Amino acid sequence: MKIVMLGAPGAGKGTQARLISEKYGIPQISTGDIFRANIRDNTELGQRAKSYMDQGLLVPDQVTCDLVVDRIRRDDCAGGYILDGFPRTIPQAQALTKALSDHGSRIDYAIDVEVPDDNIVQRMSGRRACPKCGATFHIRYKMPQTEGVCDTCGSELIQREDDHAQTVQKRLDVYHSQTQPLIQYYREQGVLHTVDGTREMNTVFNDICAALEES
Ligand code: AMP
């Protein structure tokens, strides 16, 4: 089962991808998480990605595609995977289609988690992250046990540079101009399923499972 998660930044696709990963036992591959881990480890890739991410811009396609194509060829991806945050542009989707078709394979499901922009802005500006272990929280919807402190590792939580209100707006502009066209791309491939992402997490998840199990 090869799945692509679509949706604006902050739509909850990462959370849903994690739930799918746990239920179906396939890896979740999040390009955002891979970039953030590289920034934490101060790798060359991390240094390159950070300058784009902090401005709300996309990391160049070539860098991102090489990373993903390399990752999906690993053994743990043999039974399928969920791509969370990739592809984000038509050239990335085309590169993925090509990499898969070279091996006689294709994406089976593209799940679009739909959430209006004003809702996204509210969600993202309340997000807090742990700079050490990467866990995420929300000042209203997913509060840590102690305010400002990571439940997992006890570090002080921060607001990610790319979650600041101005950057969120930029990321939404980038989403509409570069990523939203992927909805039509996967619709044309006959694999698109749209779910209403404004509802409670488990309700959204049940809809996704129904789509994965019915088709
Ligand atoms: P995310 O955590 O998925 O919202 O990603 C955070 C940031 O990482 C994005 O705003 C981009 O700067 C970068 N990024 C993640 N995935 C991609 C991708 N597929 N293509 C380009 N940039 C990406």
Side-chain angles (χ1 to χ4, degrees):
M1 186 150 61
K2 299 185 184 67
I3 306 170
V4 158
M5 299 300 290
L6 300 174
K13 54 185 189 307
T15 305
Q16 295 299 333
R18 179 176 52 75
L19 296 172
I20 299 169
S21 163
E22 284 164 7
K23 175 162 177 175
Y24 297 97
I26 49 177
Q28 169 188 6
I29 300 170
S30 158
T31 39
D33 283 351
I34 296 173
F35 289 136
R36 280 184 289 276
N38 274 275
I39 292 172
R40 279 198 295 276
D41 295 343
N42 202 22
T43 67
E44 208 181 309
L45 174 67
Q47 286 171 9
R48 191 140 180 235
K50 189 174 186 328
S51 56
Y52 296 97
M53 290 169 75
D54 284 353
Q55 296 177 70
L57 300 173
L58 295 182
V59 178
D61 284 340
Q62 192 62 56
V63 179
T64 315
C65 290
D66 288 350
L67 182 99
V68 173
V69 169
D70 191 55
R71 177 67 187 85
I72 60 177
R73 295 211 166 122
R74 289 206 212 146
D75 291 349
D76 66 334
C77 290
Y81 44 80
I82 309 149
L83 294 175
D84 158 25
F86 181 93
R88 256 181 159 98
T89 64
I90 292 285
Q92 289 182 11
Q94 289 167 335
L96 177 64
T97 301
K98 165 111 190 23
L100 290 174
S101 66
D102 286 349
H103 290 80
S105 179
R106 58 175 297 196
I107 289 298
D108 303 303
Y109 303 93
I111 309 286
D112 178 31
V113 183
E114 224 177 25
V115 176
D117 281 11
D118 49 352
N119 198 319
I120 296 275
V121 173
Q122 207 183 36
R123 289 181 185 201
M124 287 177 83
S125 50
R127 221 149 65 160
R128 297 293 178 270
C130 176
K132 201 163 168 210
C133 74
T136 53
F137 301 87
H138 195 280
I139 53 171
R140 241 189 289 165
Y141 310 120
K142 192 184 166 199
M143 292 187 286
Q145 276 165 8
T146 309
E147 196 187 325
V149 179
C150 177
D151 286 351
T152 315
C153 74
S155 302
E156 194 177 333
L157 299 177
I158 56 155
Q159 184 175 33
R160 269 167 32 187
E161 202 66 46
D162 57 352
D163 283 343
H164 288 135
Q166 232 182 342
T167 318
V168 169
Q169 194 49 59
K170 177 73 200 163
R171 292 174 72 190
L172 278 172
D173 295 345
V174 168
Y175 168 74
H176 289 300
S177 63
Q178 300 199 55
T179 309
Q180 214 170 14
L182 294 179
I183 294 173
Q184 184 58 19
Y185 181 88
Y186 284 108
R187 183 178 288 127
E188 282 167 13
Q189 297 202 358
V191 296
L192 182 74
H193 298 267
T194 303
V195 295
D196 173 0
T198 59
R199 296 160 311 151
E200 201 265 322
M201 181 181 83
N202 286 319
T203 313
V204 179
F205 183 54
N206 288 340
D207 265 17
I208 294 177
C209 294
L212 298 178
E213 284 161 26
E214 272 166 22
S215 41

